[in-house]
């Protein structure tokens, strides 16, 4: 799928989690719902750091372009080192390592460690990165073009500062889910994991499929392209994505938000 659809699906997924926790009798404070949805929307773009034309590879200027080259080479090296006889030849690392459940768990765990060890500056860094990606993904028309990069970064930095302050002052905000001393913001890794997994599931619906299960082998392939039957798949950017899935994500996100806030 394309960036906007990935971001919408990520936000909708976290709002769905909020609805589920509310139904279970443990509703999220509204700042947790908001911040989690934005982080999840941003994290849903992160697996495409292995593709130089992806939103995330352009979002942070030379820094993200440099990281893209490293991640692409690393992904390709891991693919060559672990592929089985049935896996096809490849010339690059796109849709390999960063599109697996293991990568999603690792970056989520890493985000939690940064949030806990880095204290406020670690939290701000996580929020800033994902706010940039969320703005680029959800407001893609307004954020399009290199001339808007600085404005996006300023908006993301301001948003990160305000949201961190709001979480700090909201009961159950910083210590949502993990309440032991020293575990504040440990939960920030959860929307990161969810966003990456939602991205992988979205790509699995497209023609190429997605090797979500790696390194678990399936038959003669270790990089098995998980997906529905081929007649149910679609091409990225096709009318199915633009006219069916994106409106559906918007509706599901709205319903999930209303349920999470006990409006319905």
């Amino acid at each position: 799928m394309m960036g906007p659809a990935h971001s919408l699906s990520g936000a909708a997924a976290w709002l769905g989690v909020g609805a589920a926790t509310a139904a279970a009798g443990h509703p999220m404070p509204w700042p947790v719902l908001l911040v989690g949805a934005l982080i999840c929307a941003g994290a849903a773009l992160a697996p495409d750091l292995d593709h130089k034309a992806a939103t995330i590879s352009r979002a942070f200027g030379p820094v993200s372009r440099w990281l893209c080259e490293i991640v692409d080479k690393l992904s390709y090296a891991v693919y060559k080192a672990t592929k089985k006889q049935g896996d096809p030849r490849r010339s690059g690392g796109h849709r390999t390592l960063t599109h697996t459940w293991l990568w999603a768990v690792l970056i989520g765990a890493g985000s939690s460690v940064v949030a806990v060890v880095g204290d406020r500056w670690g939290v701000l860094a996580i929020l800033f990165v994902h706010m940039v990606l969320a703005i680029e993904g959800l407001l893609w028309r307004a954020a399009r073009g290199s001339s808007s990069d600085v404005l996006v970064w300023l908006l993301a930095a301001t948003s990160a500062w305000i949201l961190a302050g709001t979480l700090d002052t909201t009961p159950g905000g910083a210590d949502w889910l993990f309440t032991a001393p020293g575990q504040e913001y440990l939960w920030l890794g959860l929307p990161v994991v969810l966003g990456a997994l939602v991205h992988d599931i979205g790509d699995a619906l497209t023609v190429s499929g997605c090797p979500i299960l790696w390194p678990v082998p399936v038959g003669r392939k270790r990089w098995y392209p998980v997906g529905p039957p081929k007649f149910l798949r679609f091409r990225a950017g096709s009318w199915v994505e633009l006219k069916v899935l994106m409106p559906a994500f918007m509706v599901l996100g709205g319903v999930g938000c209303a349920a999470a806030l006990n409006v319905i």
Side-chain angles (χ1 to χ4, degrees), residues 44-81:
L45 297 179
D48 277 343
L49 187 57
D50 59 5
H51 194 297
K52 64 181 180 180
T55 300
I56 185 174
S57 301
R58 297 179 282 104
F60 300 95
V63 174
S64 53
R65 287 194 292 270
W66 175 70
L67 283 174
C68 173
E69 292 183 10
I70 293 177
V71 170
D72 179 48
K73 288 181 172 60
L74 172 63
S75 299
Y76 184 49
V78 172
Y79 180 86
K80 289 197 302 181

PDB file of all heavy atoms in Angstrom, residues 44-81:
ATOM      1  N   ALA A  44       3.525   3.155  11.058  1.00  0.00           N
ATOM      2  CA  ALA A  44       3.017   2.376   9.923  1.00  0.00           C
ATOM      3  C   ALA A  44       3.722   2.738   8.622  1.00  0.00           C
ATOM      4  O   ALA A  44       3.498   2.085   7.604  1.00  0.00           O
ATOM      5  CB  ALA A  44       1.509   2.588   9.778  1.00  0.00           C
ATOM      6  N   LEU A  45       4.565   3.770   8.633  1.00  0.00           N
ATOM      7  CA  LEU A  45       5.379   4.107   7.460  1.00  0.00           C
ATOM      8  C   LEU A  45       6.805   3.581   7.594  1.00  0.00           C
ATOM      9  O   LEU A  45       7.540   3.507   6.607  1.00  0.00           O
ATOM     10  CB  LEU A  45       5.442   5.630   7.273  1.00  0.00           C
ATOM     11  CG  LEU A  45       4.136   6.356   6.979  1.00  0.00           C
ATOM     12  CD1 LEU A  45       4.402   7.853   6.850  1.00  0.00           C
ATOM     13  CD2 LEU A  45       3.498   5.837   5.699  1.00  0.00           C
ATOM     14  N   ALA A  46       7.207   3.234   8.815  1.00  0.00           N
ATOM     15  CA  ALA A  46       8.608   2.937   9.106  1.00  0.00           C
ATOM     16  C   ALA A  46       9.186   1.744   8.346  1.00  0.00           C
ATOM     17  O   ALA A  46      10.355   1.789   7.945  1.00  0.00           O
ATOM     18  CB  ALA A  46       8.789   2.738  10.612  1.00  0.00           C
ATOM     19  N   PRO A  47       8.454   0.645   8.122  1.00  0.00           N
ATOM     20  CA  PRO A  47       9.069  -0.485   7.415  1.00  0.00           C
ATOM     21  C   PRO A  47       9.590  -0.155   6.020  1.00  0.00           C
ATOM     22  O   PRO A  47      10.477  -0.847   5.512  1.00  0.00           O
ATOM     23  CB  PRO A  47       7.929  -1.517   7.353  1.00  0.00           C
ATOM     24  CG  PRO A  47       7.110  -1.225   8.566  1.00  0.00           C
ATOM     25  CD  PRO A  47       7.135   0.276   8.671  1.00  0.00           C
ATOM     26  N   ASP A  48       9.079   0.904   5.399  1.00  0.00           N
ATOM     27  CA  ASP A  48       9.535   1.259   4.053  1.00  0.00           C
ATOM     28  C   ASP A  48      10.838   2.053   4.057  1.00  0.00           C
ATOM     29  O   ASP A  48      11.216   2.628   3.028  1.00  0.00           O
ATOM     30  CB  ASP A  48       8.450   2.044   3.313  1.00  0.00           C
ATOM     31  CG  ASP A  48       7.424   1.129   2.674  1.00  0.00           C
ATOM     32  OD1 ASP A  48       7.708  -0.082   2.529  1.00  0.00           O
ATOM     33  OD2 ASP A  48       6.331   1.602   2.329  1.00  0.00           O
ATOM     34  N   LEU A  49      11.552   2.063   5.177  1.00  0.00           N
ATOM     35  CA  LEU A  49      12.860   2.704   5.221  1.00  0.00           C
ATOM     36  C   LEU A  49      13.856   1.980   4.320  1.00  0.00           C
ATOM     37  O   LEU A  49      14.958   2.455   4.089  1.00  0.00           O
ATOM     38  CB  LEU A  49      13.387   2.745   6.663  1.00  0.00           C
ATOM     39  CG  LEU A  49      14.668   3.537   6.924  1.00  0.00           C
ATOM     40  CD1 LEU A  49      14.514   4.993   6.478  1.00  0.00           C
ATOM     41  CD2 LEU A  49      15.053   3.479   8.392  1.00  0.00           C
ATOM     42  N   ASP A  50      13.470   0.843   3.785  1.00  0.00           N
ATOM     43  CA  ASP A  50      14.341   0.105   2.859  1.00  0.00           C
ATOM     44  C   ASP A  50      14.096   0.503   1.402  1.00  0.00           C
ATOM     45  O   ASP A  50      14.639  -0.123   0.496  1.00  0.00           O
ATOM     46  CB  ASP A  50      14.125  -1.407   3.028  1.00  0.00           C
ATOM     47  CG  ASP A  50      12.676  -1.831   2.771  1.00  0.00           C
ATOM     48  OD1 ASP A  50      11.863  -0.979   2.369  1.00  0.00           O
ATOM     49  OD2 ASP A  50      12.358  -3.014   2.983  1.00  0.00           O
ATOM     50  N   HIS A  51      13.292   1.532   1.162  1.00  0.00           N
ATOM     51  CA  HIS A  51      12.956   1.961  -0.203  1.00  0.00           C
ATOM     52  C   HIS A  51      13.220   3.458  -0.336  1.00  0.00           C
ATOM     53  O   HIS A  51      12.641   4.264   0.390  1.00  0.00           O
ATOM     54  CB  HIS A  51      11.481   1.647  -0.488  1.00  0.00           C
ATOM     55  CG  HIS A  51      11.122   1.734  -1.931  1.00  0.00           C
ATOM     56  ND1 HIS A  51      11.199   2.910  -2.642  1.00  0.00           N
ATOM     57  CD2 HIS A  51      10.677   0.791  -2.810  1.00  0.00           C
ATOM     58  CE1 HIS A  51      10.820   2.699  -3.894  1.00  0.00           C
ATOM     59  NE2 HIS A  51      10.517   1.421  -4.020  1.00  0.00           N
ATOM     60  N   LYS A  52      14.085   3.837  -1.279  1.00  0.00           N
ATOM     61  CA  LYS A  52      14.531   5.231  -1.373  1.00  0.00           C
ATOM     62  C   LYS A  52      13.430   6.195  -1.798  1.00  0.00           C
ATOM     63  O   LYS A  52      13.554   7.408  -1.573  1.00  0.00           O
ATOM     64  CB  LYS A  52      15.702   5.352  -2.342  1.00  0.00           C
ATOM     65  CG  LYS A  52      15.380   4.994  -3.787  1.00  0.00           C
ATOM     66  CD  LYS A  52      16.622   5.130  -4.653  1.00  0.00           C
ATOM     67  CE  LYS A  52      16.327   4.782  -6.103  1.00  0.00           C
ATOM     68  NZ  LYS A  52      17.541   4.906  -6.953  1.00  0.00           N
ATOM     69  N   ALA A  53      12.355   5.692  -2.393  1.00  0.00           N
ATOM     70  CA  ALA A  53      11.268   6.576  -2.821  1.00  0.00           C
ATOM     71  C   ALA A  53      10.164   6.690  -1.779  1.00  0.00           C
ATOM     72  O   ALA A  53       9.199   7.423  -1.980  1.00  0.00           O
ATOM     73  CB  ALA A  53      10.677   6.091  -4.150  1.00  0.00           C
ATOM     74  N   ALA A  54      10.292   5.975  -0.665  1.00  0.00           N
ATOM     75  CA  ALA A  54       9.240   5.967   0.351  1.00  0.00           C
ATOM     76  C   ALA A  54       9.213   7.273   1.134  1.00  0.00           C
ATOM     77  O   ALA A  54      10.205   8.004   1.198  1.00  0.00           O
ATOM     78  CB  ALA A  54       9.449   4.793   1.311  1.00  0.00           C
ATOM     79  N   THR A  55       8.067   7.556   1.752  1.00  0.00           N
ATOM     80  CA  THR A  55       7.902   8.781   2.532  1.00  0.00           C
ATOM     81  C   THR A  55       8.942   8.897   3.630  1.00  0.00           C
ATOM     82  O   THR A  55       9.563   9.948   3.812  1.00  0.00           O
ATOM     83  CB  THR A  55       6.492   8.830   3.151  1.00  0.00           C
ATOM     84  OG1 THR A  55       5.519   8.793   2.101  1.00  0.00           O
ATOM     85  CG2 THR A  55       6.301  10.099   3.964  1.00  0.00           C
ATOM     86  N   ILE A  56       9.174   7.833   4.374  1.00  0.00           N
ATOM     87  CA  ILE A  56      10.097   7.892   5.501  1.00  0.00           C
ATOM     88  C   ILE A  56      11.529   8.146   5.044  1.00  0.00           C
ATOM     89  O   ILE A  56      12.313   8.788   5.735  1.00  0.00           O
ATOM     90  CB  ILE A  56      10.038   6.593   6.345  1.00  0.00           C
ATOM     91  CG1 ILE A  56      10.914   6.740   7.592  1.00  0.00           C
ATOM     92  CG2 ILE A  56      10.420   5.373   5.524  1.00  0.00           C
ATOM     93  CD1 ILE A  56      10.812   5.582   8.546  1.00  0.00           C
ATOM     94  N   SER A  57      11.879   7.684   3.855  1.00  0.00           N
ATOM     95  CA  SER A  57      13.236   7.868   3.352  1.00  0.00           C
ATOM     96  C   SER A  57      13.505   9.307   2.921  1.00  0.00           C
ATOM     97  O   SER A  57      14.661   9.700   2.757  1.00  0.00           O
ATOM     98  CB  SER A  57      13.496   6.920   2.177  1.00  0.00           C
ATOM     99  OG  SER A  57      13.321   5.580   2.579  1.00  0.00           O
ATOM    100  N   ARG A  58      12.439  10.090   2.749  1.00  0.00           N
ATOM    101  CA  ARG A  58      12.580  11.495   2.361  1.00  0.00           C
ATOM    102  C   ARG A  58      12.222  12.451   3.491  1.00  0.00           C
ATOM    103  O   ARG A  58      12.475  13.653   3.392  1.00  0.00           O
ATOM    104  CB  ARG A  58      11.674  11.781   1.157  1.00  0.00           C
ATOM    105  CG  ARG A  58      12.049  10.994  -0.093  1.00  0.00           C
ATOM    106  CD  ARG A  58      11.102  11.285  -1.252  1.00  0.00           C
ATOM    107  NE  ARG A  58       9.829  10.590  -1.122  1.00  0.00           N
ATOM    108  CZ  ARG A  58       8.692  11.156  -0.760  1.00  0.00           C
ATOM    109  NH1 ARG A  58       8.654  12.436  -0.459  1.00  0.00           N
ATOM    110  NH2 ARG A  58       7.582  10.447  -0.676  1.00  0.00           N
ATOM    111  N   ALA A  59      11.631  11.933   4.560  1.00  0.00           N
ATOM    112  CA  ALA A  59      11.035  12.785   5.585  1.00  0.00           C
ATOM    113  C   ALA A  59      12.048  13.576   6.404  1.00  0.00           C
ATOM    114  O   ALA A  59      11.729  14.655   6.913  1.00  0.00           O
ATOM    115  CB  ALA A  59      10.164  11.946   6.526  1.00  0.00           C
ATOM    116  N   PHE A  60      13.269  13.074   6.545  1.00  0.00           N
ATOM    117  CA  PHE A  60      14.259  13.737   7.402  1.00  0.00           C
ATOM    118  C   PHE A  60      15.498  14.165   6.608  1.00  0.00           C
ATOM    119  O   PHE A  60      16.584  14.258   7.160  1.00  0.00           O
ATOM    120  CB  PHE A  60      14.652  12.816   8.553  1.00  0.00           C
ATOM    121  CG  PHE A  60      13.492  12.434   9.426  1.00  0.00           C
ATOM    122  CD1 PHE A  60      12.816  11.245   9.197  1.00  0.00           C
ATOM    123  CD2 PHE A  60      13.059  13.264  10.444  1.00  0.00           C
ATOM    124  CE1 PHE A  60      11.725  10.886   9.986  1.00  0.00           C
ATOM    125  CE2 PHE A  60      11.976  12.906  11.248  1.00  0.00           C
ATOM    126  CZ  PHE A  60      11.305  11.722  11.007  1.00  0.00           C
ATOM    127  N   GLY A  61      15.311  14.440   5.335  1.00  0.00           N
ATOM    128  CA  GLY A  61      16.389  14.953   4.508  1.00  0.00           C
ATOM    129  C   GLY A  61      17.540  13.974   4.349  1.00  0.00           C
ATOM    130  O   GLY A  61      17.323  12.758   4.233  1.00  0.00           O
ATOM    131  N   PRO A  62      18.777  14.462   4.352  1.00  0.00           N
ATOM    132  CA  PRO A  62      19.951  13.601   4.142  1.00  0.00           C
ATOM    133  C   PRO A  62      20.077  12.485   5.171  1.00  0.00           C
ATOM    134  O   PRO A  62      20.575  11.406   4.851  1.00  0.00           O
ATOM    135  CB  PRO A  62      21.135  14.579   4.252  1.00  0.00           C
ATOM    136  CG  PRO A  62      20.553  15.921   3.962  1.00  0.00           C
ATOM    137  CD  PRO A  62      19.145  15.883   4.496  1.00  0.00           C
ATOM    138  N   VAL A  63      19.605  12.732   6.390  1.00  0.00           N
ATOM    139  CA  VAL A  63      19.725  11.713   7.444  1.00  0.00           C
ATOM    140  C   VAL A  63      18.920  10.465   7.086  1.00  0.00           C
ATOM    141  O   VAL A  63      19.428   9.336   7.156  1.00  0.00           O
ATOM    142  CB  VAL A  63      19.253  12.273   8.804  1.00  0.00           C
ATOM    143  CG1 VAL A  63      19.243  11.164   9.858  1.00  0.00           C
ATOM    144  CG2 VAL A  63      20.155  13.411   9.255  1.00  0.00           C
ATOM    145  N   SER A  64      17.654  10.647   6.706  1.00  0.00           N
ATOM    146  CA  SER A  64      16.824   9.486   6.376  1.00  0.00           C
ATOM    147  C   SER A  64      17.256   8.834   5.059  1.00  0.00           C
ATOM    148  O   SER A  64      17.150   7.616   4.907  1.00  0.00           O
ATOM    149  CB  SER A  64      15.345   9.877   6.326  1.00  0.00           C
ATOM    150  OG  SER A  64      15.131  10.967   5.461  1.00  0.00           O
ATOM    151  N   ARG A  65      17.778   9.626   4.118  1.00  0.00           N
ATOM    152  CA  ARG A  65      18.275   9.025   2.872  1.00  0.00           C
ATOM    153  C   ARG A  65      19.495   8.155   3.147  1.00  0.00           C
ATOM    154  O   ARG A  65      19.649   7.069   2.560  1.00  0.00           O
ATOM    155  CB  ARG A  65      18.608  10.121   1.853  1.00  0.00           C
ATOM    156  CG  ARG A  65      17.375  10.782   1.259  1.00  0.00           C
ATOM    157  CD  ARG A  65      17.726  11.609   0.038  1.00  0.00           C
ATOM    158  NE  ARG A  65      18.520  12.785   0.370  1.00  0.00           N
ATOM    159  CZ  ARG A  65      18.002  13.961   0.678  1.00  0.00           C
ATOM    160  NH1 ARG A  65      16.676  14.118   0.699  1.00  0.00           N
ATOM    161  NH2 ARG A  65      18.785  14.993   0.967  1.00  0.00           N
ATOM    162  N   TRP A  66      20.348   8.613   4.046  1.00  0.00           N
ATOM    163  CA  TRP A  66      21.514   7.822   4.442  1.00  0.00           C
ATOM    164  C   TRP A  66      21.096   6.548   5.168  1.00  0.00           C
ATOM    165  O   TRP A  66      21.611   5.451   4.897  1.00  0.00           O
ATOM    166  CB  TRP A  66      22.409   8.683   5.325  1.00  0.00           C
ATOM    167  CG  TRP A  66      23.591   7.972   5.910  1.00  0.00           C
ATOM    168  CD1 TRP A  66      24.693   7.521   5.253  1.00  0.00           C
ATOM    169  CD2 TRP A  66      23.761   7.607   7.282  1.00  0.00           C
ATOM    170  NE1 TRP A  66      25.560   6.907   6.136  1.00  0.00           N
ATOM    171  CE2 TRP A  66      25.016   6.949   7.383  1.00  0.00           C
ATOM    172  CE3 TRP A  66      22.995   7.794   8.433  1.00  0.00           C
ATOM    173  CZ2 TRP A  66      25.491   6.461   8.595  1.00  0.00           C
ATOM    174  CZ3 TRP A  66      23.482   7.308   9.638  1.00  0.00           C
ATOM    175  CH2 TRP A  66      24.712   6.652   9.712  1.00  0.00           C
ATOM    176  N   LEU A  67      20.142   6.671   6.082  1.00  0.00           N
ATOM    177  CA  LEU A  67      19.646   5.486   6.793  1.00  0.00           C
ATOM    178  C   LEU A  67      18.992   4.502   5.832  1.00  0.00           C
ATOM    179  O   LEU A  67      19.121   3.283   5.995  1.00  0.00           O
ATOM    180  CB  LEU A  67      18.637   5.913   7.869  1.00  0.00           C
ATOM    181  CG  LEU A  67      19.205   6.514   9.150  1.00  0.00           C
ATOM    182  CD1 LEU A  67      18.079   7.006  10.049  1.00  0.00           C
ATOM    183  CD2 LEU A  67      20.063   5.490   9.890  1.00  0.00           C
ATOM    184  N   CYS A  68      18.297   5.031   4.835  1.00  0.00           N
ATOM    185  CA  CYS A  68      17.659   4.169   3.841  1.00  0.00           C
ATOM    186  C   CYS A  68      18.690   3.303   3.133  1.00  0.00           C
ATOM    187  O   CYS A  68      18.485   2.096   2.934  1.00  0.00           O
ATOM    188  CB  CYS A  68      16.886   5.021   2.833  1.00  0.00           C
ATOM    189  SG  CYS A  68      16.217   4.090   1.438  1.00  0.00           S
ATOM    190  N   GLU A  69      19.803   3.890   2.725  1.00  0.00           N
ATOM    191  CA  GLU A  69      20.845   3.118   2.047  1.00  0.00           C
ATOM    192  C   GLU A  69      21.403   2.023   2.942  1.00  0.00           C
ATOM    193  O   GLU A  69      21.628   0.889   2.504  1.00  0.00           O
ATOM    194  CB  GLU A  69      21.968   4.058   1.611  1.00  0.00           C
ATOM    195  CG  GLU A  69      21.571   5.044   0.512  1.00  0.00           C
ATOM    196  CD  GLU A  69      22.737   5.898   0.073  1.00  0.00           C
ATOM    197  OE1 GLU A  69      23.884   5.583   0.492  1.00  0.00           O
ATOM    198  OE2 GLU A  69      22.525   6.865  -0.678  1.00  0.00           O
ATOM    199  N   ILE A  70      21.607   2.353   4.227  1.00  0.00           N
ATOM    200  CA  ILE A  70      22.137   1.356   5.166  1.00  0.00           C
ATOM    201  C   ILE A  70      21.138   0.220   5.370  1.00  0.00           C
ATOM    202  O   ILE A  70      21.497  -0.967   5.317  1.00  0.00           O
ATOM    203  CB  ILE A  70      22.470   2.022   6.513  1.00  0.00           C
ATOM    204  CG1 ILE A  70      23.629   2.993   6.355  1.00  0.00           C
ATOM    205  CG2 ILE A  70      22.793   0.965   7.569  1.00  0.00           C
ATOM    206  CD1 ILE A  70      23.972   3.743   7.613  1.00  0.00           C
ATOM    207  N   VAL A  71      19.869   0.575   5.599  1.00  0.00           N
ATOM    208  CA  VAL A  71      18.841  -0.437   5.856  1.00  0.00           C
ATOM    209  C   VAL A  71      18.631  -1.312   4.628  1.00  0.00           C
ATOM    210  O   VAL A  71      18.455  -2.538   4.740  1.00  0.00           O
ATOM    211  CB  VAL A  71      17.515   0.238   6.280  1.00  0.00           C
ATOM    212  CG1 VAL A  71      16.378  -0.773   6.320  1.00  0.00           C
ATOM    213  CG2 VAL A  71      17.676   0.897   7.645  1.00  0.00           C
ATOM    214  N   ASP A  72      18.654  -0.717   3.443  1.00  0.00           N
ATOM    215  CA  ASP A  72      18.490  -1.499   2.217  1.00  0.00           C
ATOM    216  C   ASP A  72      19.611  -2.514   2.067  1.00  0.00           C
ATOM    217  O   ASP A  72      19.372  -3.693   1.771  1.00  0.00           O
ATOM    218  CB  ASP A  72      18.447  -0.567   1.009  1.00  0.00           C
ATOM    219  CG  ASP A  72      18.296  -1.320  -0.299  1.00  0.00           C
ATOM    220  OD1 ASP A  72      17.417  -2.200  -0.380  1.00  0.00           O
ATOM    221  OD2 ASP A  72      19.047  -1.036  -1.251  1.00  0.00           O
ATOM    222  N   LYS A  73      20.847  -2.080   2.286  1.00  0.00           N
ATOM    223  CA  LYS A  73      21.996  -2.994   2.166  1.00  0.00           C
ATOM    224  C   LYS A  73      21.948  -4.072   3.247  1.00  0.00           C
ATOM    225  O   LYS A  73      22.238  -5.248   2.975  1.00  0.00           O
ATOM    226  CB  LYS A  73      23.308  -2.205   2.257  1.00  0.00           C
ATOM    227  CG  LYS A  73      23.613  -1.356   1.028  1.00  0.00           C
ATOM    228  CD  LYS A  73      24.925  -0.626   1.182  1.00  0.00           C
ATOM    229  CE  LYS A  73      25.354   0.074  -0.111  1.00  0.00           C
ATOM    230  NZ  LYS A  73      24.367   1.066  -0.557  1.00  0.00           N
ATOM    231  N   LEU A  74      21.583  -3.686   4.479  1.00  0.00           N
ATOM    232  CA  LEU A  74      21.480  -4.664   5.559  1.00  0.00           C
ATOM    233  C   LEU A  74      20.394  -5.692   5.248  1.00  0.00           C
ATOM    234  O   LEU A  74      20.612  -6.907   5.412  1.00  0.00           O
ATOM    235  CB  LEU A  74      21.154  -3.946   6.870  1.00  0.00           C
ATOM    236  CG  LEU A  74      20.823  -4.837   8.068  1.00  0.00           C
ATOM    237  CD1 LEU A  74      22.019  -5.695   8.444  1.00  0.00           C
ATOM    238  CD2 LEU A  74      20.364  -4.000   9.261  1.00  0.00           C
ATOM    239  N   SER A  75      19.256  -5.228   4.784  1.00  0.00           N
ATOM    240  CA  SER A  75      18.147  -6.127   4.473  1.00  0.00           C
ATOM    241  C   SER A  75      18.527  -7.098   3.362  1.00  0.00           C
ATOM    242  O   SER A  75      18.216  -8.296   3.430  1.00  0.00           O
ATOM    243  CB  SER A  75      16.916  -5.319   4.056  1.00  0.00           C
ATOM    244  OG  SER A  75      16.485  -4.466   5.099  1.00  0.00           O
ATOM    245  N   TYR A  76      19.198  -6.591   2.345  1.00  0.00           N
ATOM    246  CA  TYR A  76      19.615  -7.445   1.229  1.00  0.00           C
ATOM    247  C   TYR A  76      20.636  -8.486   1.695  1.00  0.00           C
ATOM    248  O   TYR A  76      20.576  -9.659   1.305  1.00  0.00           O
ATOM    249  CB  TYR A  76      20.196  -6.584   0.114  1.00  0.00           C
ATOM    250  CG  TYR A  76      20.580  -7.361  -1.126  1.00  0.00           C
ATOM    251  CD1 TYR A  76      19.699  -8.269  -1.706  1.00  0.00           C
ATOM    252  CD2 TYR A  76      21.840  -7.185  -1.714  1.00  0.00           C
ATOM    253  CE1 TYR A  76      20.055  -8.977  -2.842  1.00  0.00           C
ATOM    254  CE2 TYR A  76      22.199  -7.889  -2.860  1.00  0.00           C
ATOM    255  CZ  TYR A  76      21.300  -8.783  -3.412  1.00  0.00           C
ATOM    256  OH  TYR A  76      21.645  -9.491  -4.544  1.00  0.00           O
ATOM    257  N   ALA A  77      21.566  -8.070   2.561  1.00  0.00           N
ATOM    258  CA  ALA A  77      22.566  -9.000   3.076  1.00  0.00           C
ATOM    259  C   ALA A  77      21.916 -10.105   3.905  1.00  0.00           C
ATOM    260  O   ALA A  77      22.280 -11.286   3.779  1.00  0.00           O
ATOM    261  CB  ALA A  77      23.591  -8.244   3.918  1.00  0.00           C
ATOM    262  N   VAL A  78      20.946  -9.726   4.747  1.00  0.00           N
ATOM    263  CA  VAL A  78      20.237 -10.727   5.551  1.00  0.00           C
ATOM    264  C   VAL A  78      19.448 -11.671   4.646  1.00  0.00           C
ATOM    265  O   VAL A  78      19.411 -12.888   4.874  1.00  0.00           O
ATOM    266  CB  VAL A  78      19.306 -10.039   6.568  1.00  0.00           C
ATOM    267  CG1 VAL A  78      18.420 -11.069   7.267  1.00  0.00           C
ATOM    268  CG2 VAL A  78      20.113  -9.258   7.590  1.00  0.00           C
ATOM    269  N   TYR A  79      18.835 -11.124   3.612  1.00  0.00           N
ATOM    270  CA  TYR A  79      18.075 -11.969   2.672  1.00  0.00           C
ATOM    271  C   TYR A  79      18.986 -13.004   2.019  1.00  0.00           C
ATOM    272  O   TYR A  79      18.665 -14.201   1.993  1.00  0.00           O
ATOM    273  CB  TYR A  79      17.418 -11.098   1.603  1.00  0.00           C
ATOM    274  CG  TYR A  79      16.621 -11.902   0.598  1.00  0.00           C
ATOM    275  CD1 TYR A  79      15.293 -12.245   0.864  1.00  0.00           C
ATOM    276  CD2 TYR A  79      17.182 -12.320  -0.599  1.00  0.00           C
ATOM    277  CE1 TYR A  79      14.555 -12.992  -0.045  1.00  0.00           C
ATOM    278  CE2 TYR A  79      16.455 -13.078  -1.509  1.00  0.00           C
ATOM    279  CZ  TYR A  79      15.145 -13.406  -1.232  1.00  0.00           C
ATOM    280  OH  TYR A  79      14.413 -14.154  -2.132  1.00  0.00           O
ATOM    281  N   LYS A  80      20.114 -12.577   1.500  1.00  0.00           N
ATOM    282  CA  LYS A  80      21.026 -13.502   0.820  1.00  0.00           C
ATOM    283  C   LYS A  80      21.566 -14.562   1.785  1.00  0.00           C
ATOM    284  O   LYS A  80      21.758 -15.716   1.402  1.00  0.00           O
ATOM    285  CB  LYS A  80      22.188 -12.734   0.191  1.00  0.00           C
ATOM    286  CG  LYS A  80      21.801 -11.906  -1.021  1.00  0.00           C
ATOM    287  CD  LYS A  80      23.030 -11.500  -1.838  1.00  0.00           C
ATOM    288  CE  LYS A  80      24.022 -10.713  -1.026  1.00  0.00           C
ATOM    289  NZ  LYS A  80      25.198 -10.302  -1.853  1.00  0.00           N
ATOM    290  N   ALA A  81      21.804 -14.140   3.039  1.00  0.00           N
ATOM    291  CA  ALA A  81      22.397 -15.060   4.002  1.00  0.00           C
ATOM    292  C   ALA A  81      21.412 -16.100   4.520  1.00  0.00           C
ATOM    293  O   ALA A  81      21.831 -17.170   4.989  1.00  0.00           O
ATOM    294  CB  ALA A  81      22.982 -14.277   5.177  1.00  0.00           C
TER     295      ALA A  81
END
